[in-house]
Amino acid sequence: MSIRIGILGYGNLGRGVECAIAQNPDMELAAVFTRRNPESVHILTESAKVCSIDEALQWKEKIDVMILCGGSATDLPVQTPEYAKHFNVVDSFDTHARIPEHFAKVDAAAKEGGKVGIISVGWDPGMFSLNRMYANAILPEGKDYTFWGKGVSQGHSDAIRRIAGVKNAKQYTIPVEEALTAVRNGENPELTTREKHTRECFVVLEEGADAAKVEQEIKTMPNYFADYDTTVHFISEEELEKNHSGIPHGGFVLRSGVTGWEKEHRHLIEYQLKLDSNPEFTSSVIVAYARAAFRMAKEGQTGCKTVFDVAPAYLSAKSGEELRAAML
Amino acid sequence: MSIRIGILGYGNLGRGVECAIAQNPDMELAAVFTRRNPESVHILTESAKVCSIDEALQWKEKIDVMILCGGSATDLPVQTPEYAKHFNVVDSFDTHARIPEHFAKVDAAAKEGGKVGIISVGWDPGMFSLNRMYANAILPEGKDYTFWGKGVSQGHSDAIRRIAGVKNAKQYTIPVEEALTAVRNGENPELTTREKHTRECFVVLEEGADAAKVEQEIKTMPNYFADYDTTVHFISEEELEKNHSGIPHGGFVLRSGVTGWEKEHRHLIEYQLKLDSNPEFTSSVIVAYARAAFRMAKEGQTGCKTVFDVAPAYLSAKSGEELRAAML
């Protein structure tokens, strides 16, 4: 019998989860739950239902894992604890600073409901976190580096769009090649914010807007751009649509460390992602962890977990025997 | 109280384990066990004992995890099941084809003794296996590539040394840059053995040996060299000692896959290691898994495990709270 998945929230991430489920023959999409009018939401999976979020609890016996595809700012802090009482859940909560608080709430709820809740799943937090952790455990003496990009930052694109005179915008975060090279050479550089990433902006202006003023406002925006070398390109809406409509991302996690009695040997561990679609890759990670949530719950485990707590084998559709024979 | 470690076998790997323990404050080396005369074995850790392997069982209550540092050909197939009856053990068994059989024996022994045995720990098998497995679980539709090097292959170096007229030799396995580039570009190439790696040999001849004949014998050696583009350099013993006495290694695990309803988006996951010392890095991985073996045994788990079965958090000296706050 397949693992029956529910999707709560049908934006980019929800659609990505739907596509990922179709690539995993041991899973099926049971239903999508939405705050919109269900009749207005058209999904790709013919066998699945679209329901109002208000009906979700009626699906308690028909869904093995509910995947929460809302945003980290306001949706997930409420939804994940709420639904973890009734379903095994997976979310992609990515507000790093608030993870401990989120963990505590989901843990209490999931234990109350006898369910498993896996939070902060994706690539950062997620696969990048895992790689930081493994590399630190293996090389206790060393230095960590995380670079993001080249990729679209939704938050920075939004920040530009809020400037008066801006009609549309897309922002790319780009790792600085020299910094990456220095890390790979084992130089263990101390890098400032400016030395690690540059920011490139493609901006469509409203008619009559002052380009110089907009550029100045972008480049001096605190937190978002002031600490970076930022390039601004003004382009047409057509060009933005044609060349910048994708949501690529990726990045690098590196750890440079030493071993030996005199610490005489250097080692470099590097993990790299190059993603055509940030939401679809995140969804693919989430779906693998949904399989883990299902299995861990079946074994009687309860409470909140993160990628650190999930034994890798739980993610794979293959059995232990198959994994040992084919991948070890 | 620290985790008390025993080392069985004091070669390159055993010495590496000793060095790694010194980098982990929650661990201490209790004793090294050797088949040699203990008085002839000099270790680096002043507080630890050197004992005959025959005394090992007397240390049952004084050692939390025994790390087995013998070879995969003849030592570990016997030693790991034998010692798993009495100790939590970790080994680096790396004969991929015989892992299922080794697993079964260690599993039976460890369950009989109520112990945990973690096998095939290191980087391949080990971290490379983990990365293959994670990447396959995340991107079920894709293609895997593993490249090794640049690094010293002990097996190939030994094979050259067995040729008549050869005094000493070192062989480097080198990944072919064009093949790596094609994989990174998402071309999903079908690669022959020859297209993936080249082999470079540094050979010291016995006096009066026929260089042309030795070179011919190397390049045509079945399994080891015949299927590769092989370069042979004849050098002096001094030059070999000066420039080729290290044991560097490393490599790349890549998975190139697709997502999306029409499989329209490509993704690349790449894991890379660049190691100054193959045995010391392997040892560092083993020591992290010794911590896991200790903790899993403490929780009452028993039997044989591989890296696939060990939740990442068990490897780290940090608590769950610390990991979530600092690394997620």
Side-chain angles (χ1 to χ4, degrees), chain B residues 153-205:
Chain B
S153 163
Q154 216 50 62
H156 288 78
S157 301
D158 289 345
I160 299 172
R161 280 192 285 261
R162 283 191 296 264
I163 294 173
V166 171
K167 193 175 168 198
N168 206 345
K170 210 80 177 244
Q171 193 269 184
Y172 295 93
T173 306
I174 304 169
V176 174
E177 198 59 46
E178 295 76 36
L180 252 173
T181 302
V183 172
R184 286 181 178 143
N185 289 343
E187 297 170 23
N188 286 353
E190 292 291 338
L191 297 167
T192 63
T193 299
R194 191 177 300 275
E195 286 165 339
K196 287 185 71 184
H197 297 94
T198 56
R199 300 198 175 277
E200 190 171 19
C201 314
F202 292 86
V203 179
V204 181
L205 291 175

Side-chain angles (χ1 to χ4, degrees), chain B residues 17-88:
Chain B
V17 168
E18 180 179 23
C19 295
I21 292 168
Q23 292 186 293
N24 286 279
D26 61 336
M27 300 193 172
E28 60 175 280
L29 177 61
V32 168
F33 300 91
T34 178
R35 280 183 294 217
R36 292 177 268 170
N37 173 4
E39 312 223 323
S40 73
V41 173
H42 301 288
I43 65 172
L44 302 161
T45 309
E46 288 183 11
S47 56
K49 291 247 166 63
V50 181
C51 305
S52 161
I53 194 169
D54 304 325
E55 298 169 40
L57 293 194
Q58 300 166 26
W59 286 76
K60 279 183 67 164
E61 307 304 322
K62 287 177 281 184
I63 282 177
D64 297 309
V65 184
M66 185 72 94
I67 297 180
L68 304 172
C69 298
S72 294
T74 56
D75 297 332
L76 299 176
V78 177
Q79 287 176 348
T80 315
E82 184 180 329
Y83 288 94
K85 285 183 204 154
H86 309 289
F87 296 94
N88 300 310

Side-chain angles (χ1 to χ4, degrees), chain B residues 261-279:
Chain B
W261 198 252
E262 311 281 353
K263 311 190 194 308
E264 64 273 30
H265 292 126
R266 293 190 317 195
H267 306 276
L268 186 76
I269 304 174
E270 176 172 345
Y271 181 76
Q272 182 181 347
L273 293 175
K274 215 164 76 188
L275 314 175
D276 268 4
S277 165
N278 183 353

Side-chain angles (χ1 to χ4, degrees), chain A residues 23 125 129 132-133 138 141 184 258-260 265-266 268 270 272 274 276 280 284 308 312-313 327-328, chain B residues 23 125 129 132-133 138 141 184 258-260 265-266 268 270 272 274 276 280 284 308 312-313 327-328:
Chain A
Q23 292 185 294
S129 324
R132 283 188 283 264
M133 205 234 86
I138 295 168
E141 296 182 51
R184 286 181 178 143
V258 292
T259 66
H265 293 125
R266 292 191 317 195
L268 186 76
E270 176 172 347
Q272 182 182 348
K274 215 164 77 189
D276 268 5
E280 285 181 8
S284 298
F308 299 146
M327 287 196 196
L328 199 61
Chain B
Q23 292 186 293
S129 325
R132 283 188 284 263
M133 204 233 86
I138 294 168
E141 297 182 51
R184 286 181 178 143
V258 292
T259 65
H265 292 126
R266 293 190 317 195
L268 186 76
E270 176 172 345
Q272 182 181 347
K274 215 164 76 188
D276 268 4
E280 284 181 8
S284 297
F308 299 147
M327 287 196 195
L328 198 61

Side-chain angles (χ1 to χ4, degrees), chain A residues 10-292:
Chain A
Y10 194 68
N12 281 336
L13 197 64
R15 264 187 297 275
V17 168
E18 180 179 23
C19 295
I21 291 168
Q23 292 185 294
N24 286 280
D26 62 336
M27 300 193 172
E28 60 176 280
L29 177 61
V32 169
F33 300 91
T34 178
R35 279 183 293 217
R36 291 177 269 169
N37 172 4
E39 311 223 326
S40 73
V41 174
H42 301 288
I43 65 171
L44 302 162
T45 309
E46 288 181 11
S47 56
K49 291 247 167 61
V50 181
C51 306
S52 161
I53 194 169
D54 303 326
E55 299 168 40
L57 291 195
Q58 300 165 26
W59 286 75
K60 279 183 66 164
E61 306 304 322
K62 288 177 282 185
I63 281 176
D64 296 309
V65 184
M66 185 72 93
I67 298 181
L68 305 172
C69 297
S72 294
T74 55
D75 297 332
L76 299 176
V78 177
Q79 288 176 348
T80 314
E82 184 180 328
Y83 288 94
K85 283 184 205 154
H86 309 288
F87 296 95
N88 301 309
V89 296
V90 182
D91 80 14
S92 61
F93 185 76
D94 67 358
T95 312
H96 291 259
R98 298 188 60 191
I99 285 174
E101 174 193 342
H102 189 58
F103 182 93
K105 282 188 193 160
V106 175
D107 194 48
K111 281 181 176 152
E112 185 190 323
K115 302 292 182 186
V116 167
I118 311 184
I119 62 162
S120 301
V121 177
W123 60 274
D124 197 0
M127 297 313 295
F128 272 20
S129 324
L130 266 183
N131 276 281
R132 283 188 283 264
M133 205 234 86
Y134 274 117
N136 271 269
I138 295 168
L139 296 175
E141 296 182 51
K143 213 162 151 30
D144 292 306
Y145 296 90
T146 301
F147 292 87
W148 295 275
K150 181 183 176 175
V152 172
S153 163
Q154 216 52 61
H156 288 78
S157 301
D158 289 345
I160 300 172
R161 280 192 285 262
R162 284 191 296 264
I163 294 173
V166 172
K167 193 175 167 201
N168 206 344
K170 211 78 179 247
Q171 193 269 182
Y172 295 92
T173 306
I174 304 169
V176 174
E177 198 58 49
E178 295 75 39
L180 252 173
T181 302
V183 172
R184 286 181 178 143
N185 290 344
E187 296 168 23
N188 286 353
E190 292 290 338
L191 298 167
T192 62
T193 299
R194 192 177 299 276
E195 287 166 337
K196 287 185 72 185
H197 298 93
T198 56
R199 300 199 175 276
E200 190 171 20
C201 315
F202 293 87
V203 180
V204 182
L205 290 175
E206 306 271 14
E207 222 173 282
D210 180 345
K213 189 162 166 283
V214 168
E215 180 165 347
Q216 177 66 8
E217 228 178 297
I218 294 173
K219 290 187 170 175
T220 57
M221 197 186 295
N223 302 317
Y224 284 91
F225 294 100
D227 298 335
Y228 298 86
D229 290 335
T230 302
T231 316
V232 180
H233 308 278
F234 293 102
I235 62 173
S236 67
E237 184 80 56
E238 294 68 41
E239 203 182 330
L240 191 81
E241 174 63 32
K242 184 166 164 255
N243 299 329
H244 305 284
S245 61
I247 322 177
H249 220 313
F252 306 79
V253 171
L254 305 105
R255 185 163 175 87
S256 167
V258 292
T259 66
W261 198 251
E262 311 282 351
K263 311 190 196 306
E264 64 273 30
H265 293 125
R266 292 191 317 195
H267 306 278
L268 186 76
I269 304 174
E270 176 172 347
Y271 182 76
Q272 182 182 348
L273 293 176
K274 215 164 77 189
L275 313 175
D276 268 5
S277 165
N278 182 354
E280 285 181 8
F281 187 82
T282 301
S283 304
S284 298
V285 179
I286 289 175
V287 163
Y289 277 91
R291 181 181 289 119

